[in-house]
Amino acid sequence: MVKVWFLGTGTSQGIPVIGSSHPVCHSNNPKDKRLRVSVWLQWDEYSYVIDCGPDFRQQMLTCNCQKLDGILFTHEHADHTAGLDDIRPFFFRQGDIPVYGHKRVLQILKKRFDYIFEKENKYPGAPSVETIEVIKDKPFVLGGKTIVPILAMHGNIEIFGYRVGDSFAYLTDVKTIAADEKHKLKGVKVLVVSALREEPHHTHFNLEEALDFIKEIKPETAYLTHISHLMGFHDQVQEKLPDNVFLAFDNLQITI
């Protein structure tokens, strides 16, 4: 059994967008207010997050996460990584926090957060991490569950989605994905995939592309995430979706 808490379901600017006059940004529906995209996964006594963006501290306080066994990064963009410094409370209690990602992503994080990765003359208040490179065709095990990396393209950069055991898969910021990577998703029960807006975008699935992808993978249930204000009002978009497809929203919790 895997518990999934959607910590954030918004795109890089979040919703509301600073200074925006768009109607969705002024909605009173809490489902239309979206922090930057991330999920918290729990099973047995294990606790992992996928991505930690600039809203990470707020998200951890909201979900009352008490332990962090590691972070799985999809890619290096700021809306997925900028909260890394906020692992400090976990580090102070637990020691080095494992972080998993593409070799390129780990290198960029080391440059961006050099004080976290520093081994000599380290500032005593800084957290530390243990880095684990994720490789395309090398599944790994976390807490007794096999994690299968799913390679996709976000425009012209390689990113990783993750399949967790047999039941759950998470892919965000996807634009294209090869057939052999899609095959890794065969039989998954719950699929989370990004859908930025209805209009086409050069580095992200739009709604039509995401729905076509879901039809191809055939999960029992699918959730859309990484949603822009340009997608429209949550309730209105949900009415147009297939019966097994749902717009995720912040603090949605599901058990698989």
Side-chain angles (χ1 to χ4, degrees):
M1 184 173 67
V2 178
K3 296 180 180 179
V4 182
W5 187 312
F6 289 84
L7 300 171
T9 56
T11 186
S12 57
Q13 298 182 89
I15 306 175
V17 175
I18 295 171
S20 175
S21 60
H22 192 282
V24 172
C25 292
H26 293 272
S27 170
N28 291 321
N29 184 348
K31 293 181 180 178
D32 287 321
K33 301 185 186 303
R34 302 181 185 276
L35 300 178
R36 268 61 73 94
V37 68
S38 179
V39 289
W40 177 29
L41 308 179
Q42 303 170 78
W43 64 91
D44 301 327
E45 71 273 23
Y46 299 101
S47 170
Y48 291 90
V49 296
I50 302 179
D51 290 336
C52 65
D55 302 312
F56 182 70
R57 175 182 175 274
Q58 180 180 350
Q59 292 164 339
M60 292 291 93
L61 290 170
T62 297
C63 71
N64 194 30
C65 180
Q66 297 294 309
K67 181 171 80 86
L68 184 63
D69 292 310
I71 302 170
L72 286 73
F73 284 109
T74 59
H75 63 295
E76 69 270 26
H77 287 166
D79 54 322
H80 299 259
T81 63
L84 185 58
D85 184 78
D86 286 325
I87 65 172
R88 282 185 290 161
F90 297 110
F91 165 72
F92 294 150
R93 293 196 299 267
Q94 301 171 210
D96 290 8
I97 304 299
V99 295
Y100 302 78
H102 192 291
K103 181 178 181 180
R104 180 197 73 247
V105 173
L106 298 177
Q107 291 173 338
I108 291 172
L109 290 176
K110 186 174 182 179
K111 181 178 180 180
R112 191 176 295 166
F113 296 95
D114 56 345
Y115 62 96
I116 292 177
F117 290 79
E118 182 63 55
K119 297 300 182 184
E120 297 181 6
N121 300 316
K122 188 177 182 69
Y123 176 68
S128 293
V129 295
E130 174 191 358
T131 57
I132 299 96
E133 180 184 350
V134 175
I135 298 172
K136 174 188 171 191
D137 291 319
K138 291 189 176 181
F140 52 100
V141 175
L142 297 179
K145 290 192 179 294
T146 299
I147 311 300
V148 178
I150 312 294
L151 185 71
M153 298 301 296
H154 178 29
N156 62 356
I157 69 169
E158 292 183 342
I159 64 172
F160 279 124
Y162 297 98
R163 180 169 182 165
V164 180
D166 294 329
S167 60
F168 178 76
Y170 182 90
L171 296 95
T172 186
D173 291 51
V174 175
K175 181 60 179 180
T176 58
I177 180 169
D180 57 339
E181 297 300 307
K182 292 178 184 177
H183 184 73
K184 296 177 182 178
L185 297 166
K186 183 178 180 181
V188 72
K189 293 181 180 179
V190 175
L191 173 67
V192 178
V193 65
S194 55
L196 187 71
R197 62 193 192 192
E198 290 199 12
E199 293 297 314
H201 190 275
H202 63 290
T203 64
H204 290 271
F205 276 165
N206 69 352
L207 180 59
E208 181 180 7
E209 291 167 328
L211 292 176
D212 286 344
F213 180 69
I214 291 165
K215 285 181 183 178
E216 186 174 0
I217 301 303
K218 296 181 175 63
E220 293 179 8
T221 309
Y223 293 88
L224 304 178
T225 193
H226 204 281
I227 296 161
S228 163
H229 61 294
L230 298 176
M231 179 72 85
F233 292 102
H234 180 282
D235 291 348
Q236 293 178 8
V237 176
Q238 183 61 58
E239 289 178 356
K240 301 186 293 184
L241 297 179
D243 290 343
N244 69 327
V245 180
F246 301 90
L247 279 187
F249 53 88
D250 288 18
N251 300 314
L252 169 65
Q253 300 170 55
I254 61 174
T255 301
I256 306 160

